[in-house]
Amino acid sequence: MKFFTPATSRENSHGVDPIELAVATWNIAAINKNPFEYWVTYPDPSYNKFMLDVEIFLGNEEEDLTVDNIFTDSMFIELLAEMRLCGIPEVEKLSISWRQDYSQRRAVRGFLRDRALGEKRLTSMPDRITNTILLHDNTLLKRPTVINAYDAPLSSVEAWWSRWKQFMFHTPVQLFSHNPSKRSAIQTVCSLIGPIQKSKYPAVSAVEESMSIPLQILCLGILDAIFVYIVNRVAPFIWERIRSKLCLELIHCKDAKVCNIISEFYTDRQVIFIQEASSSFTHVAMQHDALAQTHFLLVPFDFDSKRDQNSVMFLHRQRFDETSSVDVTKHVLDSLDGDYLAAGDLFAVSIQDFDCRRWLLVSFHGDSNGLGTEPVMRGLHRTFLAMFGDHVLLAGMDANTCSHGGGRYRQGVGGFRRLLEEQGMVSVWDGARDPFLQTTWSSRTSLQTQLAKATPFHKRFSAATVSLKDWIVAYGRQAVEVAGAARDNTGARGFLDETVLPTLAFPSDHAIVSATLRIRPDFLPRSAQLEG
């Protein structure tokens, strides 16, 4: 059975029209913190000139200094002293790595362009944790770096270094928490950085794993120093004006912009799955008057404010009973055979509607290459069969599926379709076999933590990452069909082909996917009847 084929015979055999449920799913991530991370369409020509000049500088081998000419030996000695004072373990091992390896690398060719650093997450992980921190009082603390919305001048490496040390080692923080009973302890920023496990990131060596905390801090310091050096060599003072403009459009106003899009164009959706939501977004969403009138927001009991990329969901107030919601994420996690998820990526809820029908609603974000998507879907299937057979399953996700290729290192679209069929599931895309169908169209710049993933200026359109990543999934025996399946990359229920995301109007690199599901009435058990 495919979503887009008529099912009148099945409907008529029961004599009752199917129940309709309007659904959407949206990964709202992209630019949460770094205004330079993705190529954007921007009206000010100084933006393109600056980004192109950075790219030209990075390609000039004569300008490619060794790391110790930018992050100096004296800075490294100061770094060691700060880490010792903070009681960070395995600091002494770092001296050998610095002396024999990192200090002698070329800043661009040997550090920024090193794919292994990306695979090991030695810069991207600590950046994610410390880039922009939401505190318990709903204020934001920003690391002194080029790649966020830091609002003080960074006119030289020397000016940056004193502020960076103060931020990392001498600034007490208490993280935001949705759960008052789980308020975090006051700690320094550097203590937020945890170990990187070889079991999860095989590229990490045993030695690197043992000293992964101080090694991450060192790599983050080197990264930030190199970026400060580059932008001030390329466009002193001008780069900060460009960043301020980008931050206004893409960061400071982003959460409100996402809420406005939902409240203006998607209030007819009874379920809206959201992935990669930050703490600041959930705070803004809960205070958004128009959205709060129609929908309530559900967040995980174990909402992760540290990594700060959580799956959540909006449910319509006239359809669902908020008081009946139960976070059942742990049941799905317990069914998994391995560690495939980062904190916050999965959120599963059992809830009743006002007709006392039971629903199992799941918002899910797959890992970067989608390799955890299949194990998670199998675990969800097992959990449903074992515990939630009297529910209707509905999932919205960024499965991180790859439209072209797949195989051992990436989850392909074809393999994901076969998995769904094997488990008796159907998706919003079952009637669309276009190999060029996509929900993402994005290109990373050179000013982000994994330069190996950067797309050159002249290829930002032709070499963009284009994939079908976003899905709405249900069981074929429960869902009759889908009507009005659509993608939106405008924020106004439109779709523009070959548009690099995000744009100033649309603040994500993922399109919104929406559809109306028609659910068989005999698969909508009523709780009151079952309990009776």
Side-chain angles (χ1 to χ4, degrees):
M1 190 278 294
K2 306 300 181 187
F3 262 134
F4 291 98
T5 55
T8 54
S9 60
R10 180 148 54 172
E11 297 169 30
N12 294 338
S13 66
H14 297 284
V16 181
D17 289 337
I19 307 299
E20 291 191 349
L21 192 73
V23 185
T25 187
W26 190 11
N27 181 329
I28 62 172
I31 296 172
N32 276 331
K33 300 168 182 176
N34 179 8
F36 295 123
E37 183 169 2
Y38 292 90
W39 289 108
V40 297
T41 303
Y42 196 71
D44 185 346
S46 64
Y47 165 77
N48 280 348
K49 182 181 185 307
F50 166 65
M51 298 303 293
L52 182 57
D53 287 346
V54 168
E55 191 175 299
I56 292 171
F57 182 90
L58 292 172
N60 185 349
E61 293 189 3
E62 293 182 0
E63 294 278 7
D64 195 6
L65 305 177
T66 56
V67 165
D68 61 0
N69 277 286
I70 300 171
F71 190 93
T72 64
D73 281 321
S74 62
M75 293 166 67
F76 177 74
I77 292 170
E78 291 176 26
L79 183 73
L80 283 184
E82 295 284 8
M83 288 195 283
R84 289 191 188 105
L85 288 174
C86 290
I88 295 173
E90 307 295 342
V91 168
E92 303 311 321
K93 292 181 180 179
L94 206 59
S95 294
I96 297 175
S97 292
W98 168 255
R99 187 172 60 254
Q100 297 181 356
D101 182 7
Y102 287 95
S103 67
Q104 300 307 305
R105 293 187 181 203
R106 292 289 174 176
V108 177
R109 287 170 288 166
F111 190 85
L112 293 183
R113 294 195 190 279
D114 182 10
R115 285 187 175 273
L117 285 179
E119 293 170 355
K120 297 171 184 180
R121 301 297 193 269
L122 290 174
T123 54
S124 61
M125 189 69 75
D127 171 68
R128 176 183 295 170
I129 292 168
T130 66
N131 184 294
T132 304
I133 303 169
L134 181 64
L135 303 178
H136 68 99
D137 60 356
N138 289 306
T139 59
L140 293 174
L141 180 67
K142 301 158 192 168
R143 190 176 83 246
T145 182
V146 171
I147 54 173
N148 67 4
Y150 187 72
D151 48 12
L154 296 174
S155 57
S156 68
V157 173
E158 293 73 25
W160 159 82
W161 177 233
S162 60
R163 292 173 182 167
W164 196 90
K165 287 187 298 179
Q166 181 68 30
F167 169 86
M168 190 66 68
F169 303 109
H170 301 284
T171 303
V173 295
Q174 185 174 20
L175 300 182
F176 173 85
S177 175
H178 281 283
N179 188 345
S181 66
K182 296 182 65 178
R183 179 168 291 182
S184 65
I186 298 175
Q187 56 195 313
T188 54
V189 172
C190 65
S191 66
L192 298 175
I193 298 173
I196 294 179
Q197 298 175 343
K198 181 175 176 59
S199 60
K200 191 165 186 180
Y201 299 102
V204 174
S205 70
V207 173
E208 288 171 330
E209 181 181 37
S210 70
M211 61 172 182
S212 61
I213 293 177
L215 184 57
Q216 287 178 79
I217 295 173
L218 170 62
C219 287
L220 185 63
I222 294 172
L223 177 86
D224 284 341
I226 293 172
F227 279 154
V228 170
Y229 172 78
I230 289 173
V231 296
N232 283 291
R233 284 277 291 148
V234 169
F237 308 111
I238 295 174
W239 77 268
E240 293 189 285
R241 175 180 60 80
I242 294 170
R243 182 175 70 165
S244 294
K245 288 184 177 181
L246 288 173
C247 286
L248 180 63
E249 296 290 344
L250 299 173
I251 296 179
H252 300 320
C253 298
K254 175 182 175 176
D255 294 335
K257 192 173 292 186
V258 169
C259 290
N260 289 340
I261 289 172
I262 294 173
S263 66
E264 290 178 26
F265 295 97
Y266 289 91
T267 53
D268 63 328
R269 303 292 99 178
Q270 283 118 5
V271 179
I272 303 171
F273 297 110
I274 300 289
Q275 297 85 42
E276 295 202 69
S278 65
S279 304
S280 62
F281 170 76
T282 59
H283 176 70
V284 170
M286 289 175 176
Q287 307 298 320
H288 194 278
D289 292 338
L291 188 51
Q293 289 179 10
T294 58
H295 291 74
F296 56 88
L297 176 66
L298 293 181
V299 302
F301 177 78
D302 289 325
F303 189 96
D304 181 57
S305 299
K306 183 176 177 181
R307 180 171 173 265
D308 211 22
Q309 294 179 336
N310 293 267
S311 295
V312 300
M313 61 185 75
F314 291 99
L315 302 182
H316 206 287
R317 293 187 180 280
Q318 294 182 357
R319 184 63 178 268
F320 291 97
D321 178 6
E322 182 177 6
T323 63
S324 71
S325 65
V326 178
D327 185 339
V328 297
T329 307
K330 186 178 184 302
H331 295 302
V332 182
L333 296 178
D334 289 345
S335 73
L336 302 182
D337 295 327
D339 184 13
Y340 301 102
L341 291 169
D345 279 342
L346 180 73
F347 181 35
V349 171
S350 169
I351 194 168
Q352 293 180 187
D353 63 21
F354 285 113
D355 290 323
C356 296
R357 299 183 177 100
R358 290 174 171 168
W359 300 80
L360 178 62
L361 305 177
V362 181
S363 184
F364 168 57
H365 170 237
D367 60 290
S368 297
N369 293 324
L371 296 180
T373 296
E374 181 171 330
V376 169
M377 292 303 294
R378 292 190 185 280
L380 176 60
H381 181 58
R382 287 193 295 269
T383 304
F384 178 85
L385 295 178
M387 303 182 65
F388 299 100
D390 60 342
H391 289 56
V392 173
L393 172 69
L394 184 61
M397 66 189 73
D398 165 16
N400 259 316
T401 42
C402 173
S403 293
H404 307 288
R408 182 179 177 184
Y409 298 106
R410 302 190 75 178
Q411 175 64 60
V413 167
F416 187 60
R417 288 186 188 273
R418 289 190 292 274
L419 171 67
L420 295 181
E421 292 173 2
E422 175 189 326
Q423 296 187 161
M425 294 179 171
V426 287
S427 84
V428 68
W429 304 124
D430 281 1
R433 298 286 176 168
D434 180 359
F436 299 104
L437 184 72
Q438 83 280 346
T439 57
T440 61
W441 193 299
S442 60
S443 295
R444 294 178 187 265
T445 75
S446 298
L447 287 177
Q448 40 87 23
T449 58
Q450 298 184 60
L451 194 60
K453 294 184 176 181
T455 303
F457 175 82
H458 67 284
K459 291 185 177 180
R460 65 194 187 281
F461 296 104
S462 62
T465 299
V466 180
S467 282
L468 179 61
K469 294 188 175 185
D470 303 273
W471 304 72
I472 297 170
V473 170
Y475 277 114
R477 64 182 181 273
Q478 296 179 336
V480 175
E481 63 176 346
V482 164
R487 298 167 295 162
D488 176 5
N489 63 2
T490 67
R493 288 206 164 179
F495 189 83
L496 301 175
D497 284 317
E498 300 188 5
T499 298
V500 174
L501 299 176
T503 67
L504 297 188
F506 191 82
S508 174
D509 61 331
H510 287 251
I512 304 169
V513 173
S514 62
T516 300
L517 282 77
R518 304 181 70 198
I519 309 297
R520 287 178 57 176
D522 56 323
F523 275 101
L524 286 168
R526 296 172 183 266
S527 300
Q529 294 175 355
L530 290 170
E531 292 165 3

